[in-house]
Amino acid sequence: MNDLKMIKEWRAGTPPMPAAMEESIRARLGALATGAEAPRRRPRRSYRRPVLGALLAGGVAAAVGITLLGGDPGDGPQDGMSARTVLLSAAEKAQRQPETTGRYWHTVTNSKFLLGSLATSDDGPPRFRMYERKQLEYWASPNPERKDWSATTNLGMEPVIKADEDAWKRLKCPDFLMPAPGDGDCTTMLKPGRRKIETGDLNYSFVNFDGKKVTFQQIADLPTDPVRLREALNRLLGYKAGDEKVFELGTGLVSEAPAPPRVRAAAFRMIAELPSVRTLGELTDPLGRKGTAVALKVSRDAEAVETRLIVDPAAGRALTSYSVALNNGDGLHGTGIKTGEIQTSSSVIEAGWTNSHP
């Protein structure tokens, strides 16, 4: 498998394919058409996540999936704590954390993308779906004169469900972007790869401001009052954000952004004031960590999804953000989705300042 570069900024409810993944897939499809080897690209972290359009109409689909979160979409609170109580508790802990600094803002996340296969055969067996699992690391510098760094580790593909695995094997295990049949090797795609390190101007934002570049200093200067924070985010966006966007921005600030502790606390409080946020009680994230999940329903045409955030209130930190389907439908870009299936996911392993890079 090529190293498909991933972006961790996900739009709440309608997460399009990450831009770097789009570029990689375009290159691979172009190589298939010409017989040439697809070029390797320097990782570029963009502020936007465009939808593919014609490429997606050809059968490539992207979303993210995880399997350890549990809980039916209709589940209510399991521990008696309201979403507001959970988030305010996390805010209290967050604001007491020491403020640190360093040469690089370092994040480590584990993510999964649900990829729809292009593989077909004459008798038209069902396309299969695979989770592409990655670990992403970034060292972003607030100093424009200093290079950024990134590291990507391919953790191996994983069939979504047994039916996907069966369909893949019927096609003799092709690469998900290659035409069927495959060569019968059903192990290579599932094996982890090596850690690949690259450097340069990565131009990355840890919070999705709809393509607008936001500097380290602008994030550091955000208000520590939740009402004023929402107003400041509106100014950065250039419009008045609805609750869905506020939930997304708040999630970014508490998860991976280089925000000071008091700003993170304000972001937790900002999310707590959203009237439609509910709690799902205790859930276990893909890394086996227990936390309390809060959720906000998002409507998308005939389908509905729920964006969720698992937090550790006692530590004042976010663990995993993801979205889940609330009804059966075509899913993102026609992959097919069922109630309870995960569409996006990013689990934070580390987010903090450091003075070193790879």
Side-chain angles (χ1 to χ4, degrees):
M1 290 292 298
N2 245 352
D3 178 25
L4 301 181
K5 302 300 180 183
M6 296 162 54
I7 303 288
K8 299 167 293 186
E9 300 176 34
W10 303 107
R11 289 189 187 280
T14 56
M17 179 179 289
M21 177 178 286
E22 172 185 344
E23 292 179 3
S24 178
I25 292 177
R26 286 188 188 277
R28 296 186 65 184
L29 291 179
L32 289 176
T34 62
E37 181 180 356
R40 289 190 175 273
R41 296 179 180 266
R42 179 176 67 85
R44 177 176 62 82
R45 290 180 284 178
S46 94
Y47 290 82
R48 293 187 69 103
R49 294 163 292 184
V51 180
L52 275 181
L55 179 60
L56 295 176
V60 178
V64 179
I66 53 181
T67 57
L68 301 179
L69 294 171
D72 184 86
D75 287 348
Q78 300 172 13
D79 55 9
M81 294 178 65
S82 69
R84 191 171 188 275
T85 299
V86 170
L87 292 164
L88 293 181
S89 176
E92 287 298 316
K93 294 294 184 180
Q95 73 177 14
R96 296 175 188 172
Q97 294 168 355
E99 186 167 348
T100 59
T101 188
R103 293 166 61 88
Y104 299 93
W105 180 253
H106 179 219
T107 64
V108 182
T109 60
N110 276 13
S111 299
K112 284 187 179 182
F113 284 83
L114 177 62
L115 299 175
S117 171
L118 288 179
T120 59
S121 66
D122 292 339
D123 58 358
R127 289 183 306 207
F128 58 88
R129 299 179 301 167
M130 287 274 187
Y131 291 146
E132 184 178 36
R133 304 179 299 144
K134 297 276 187 178
Q135 181 170 100
L136 303 173
E137 303 172 73
Y138 296 110
W139 293 259
S141 174
N143 182 351
E145 302 298 322
R146 191 178 296 140
K147 290 182 178 180
D148 299 326
W149 294 77
S150 71
T152 304
T153 305
N154 184 350
L155 302 178
M157 305 291 284
E158 176 187 345
V160 179
I161 58 176
K162 183 64 163 56
D164 292 302
E165 180 180 7
D166 292 343
W168 178 53
K169 290 182 176 179
R170 282 198 300 270
L171 298 174
K172 298 186 177 180
C173 304
D175 183 308
F176 77 97
L177 282 180
M178 299 294 289
D183 59 9
D185 181 357
C186 297
T187 60
T188 300
M189 282 179 60
L190 309 183
K191 292 180 180 178
R194 292 181 297 178
R195 184 171 180 249
K196 298 180 180 180
I197 299 174
E198 301 188 55
T199 186
D201 180 11
L202 300 179
N203 194 33
Y204 182 71
S205 173
F206 294 92
V207 184
N208 178 28
F209 285 96
D210 295 350
K212 296 182 179 180
K213 184 173 182 178
V214 177
T215 67
F216 278 81
Q217 193 60 52
Q218 285 176 302
I219 292 177
D221 291 342
L222 286 171
T224 58
D225 173 80
V227 175
R228 292 179 57 232
L229 174 61
R230 182 164 182 169
E231 294 171 349
L233 295 177
N234 287 338
R235 289 193 294 271
L236 289 173
L237 286 169
Y239 63 86
K240 186 176 180 180
D243 288 355
E244 296 174 11
K245 186 64 178 179
V246 170
F247 188 94
E248 178 190 2
L249 294 173
T251 295
L253 288 173
V254 302
S255 298
E256 300 176 57
R262 291 176 63 84
V263 173
R264 288 199 302 274
F268 275 123
R269 294 186 176 107
M270 179 180 69
I271 299 173
E273 296 306 317
L274 299 177
S276 298
V277 172
R278 69 190 188 103
T279 182
L280 303 176
E282 185 177 274
L283 294 180
T284 301
D285 82 349
L287 302 181
R289 303 172 299 185
K290 291 188 181 297
T292 303
V294 297
L296 178 72
K297 182 178 178 180
V298 179
S299 297
R300 188 183 71 234
D301 298 327
E303 298 175 12
V305 298
E306 190 170 63
T307 58
R308 298 177 175 181
L309 176 65
I310 300 179
V311 302
D312 181 350
R317 64 188 294 248
L319 302 179
T320 291
S321 58
Y322 66 109
S323 65
V324 62
L326 297 182
N327 57 8
N328 295 341
D330 290 337
L332 293 173
H333 318 310
T335 53
I337 195 76
K338 295 182 179 180
T339 301
E341 287 194 337
I342 304 302
Q343 293 191 346
T344 67
S345 171
S346 180
S347 297
V348 180
I349 299 173
E350 183 177 342
W353 290 101
T354 182
N355 289 320
S356 61
H357 59 74

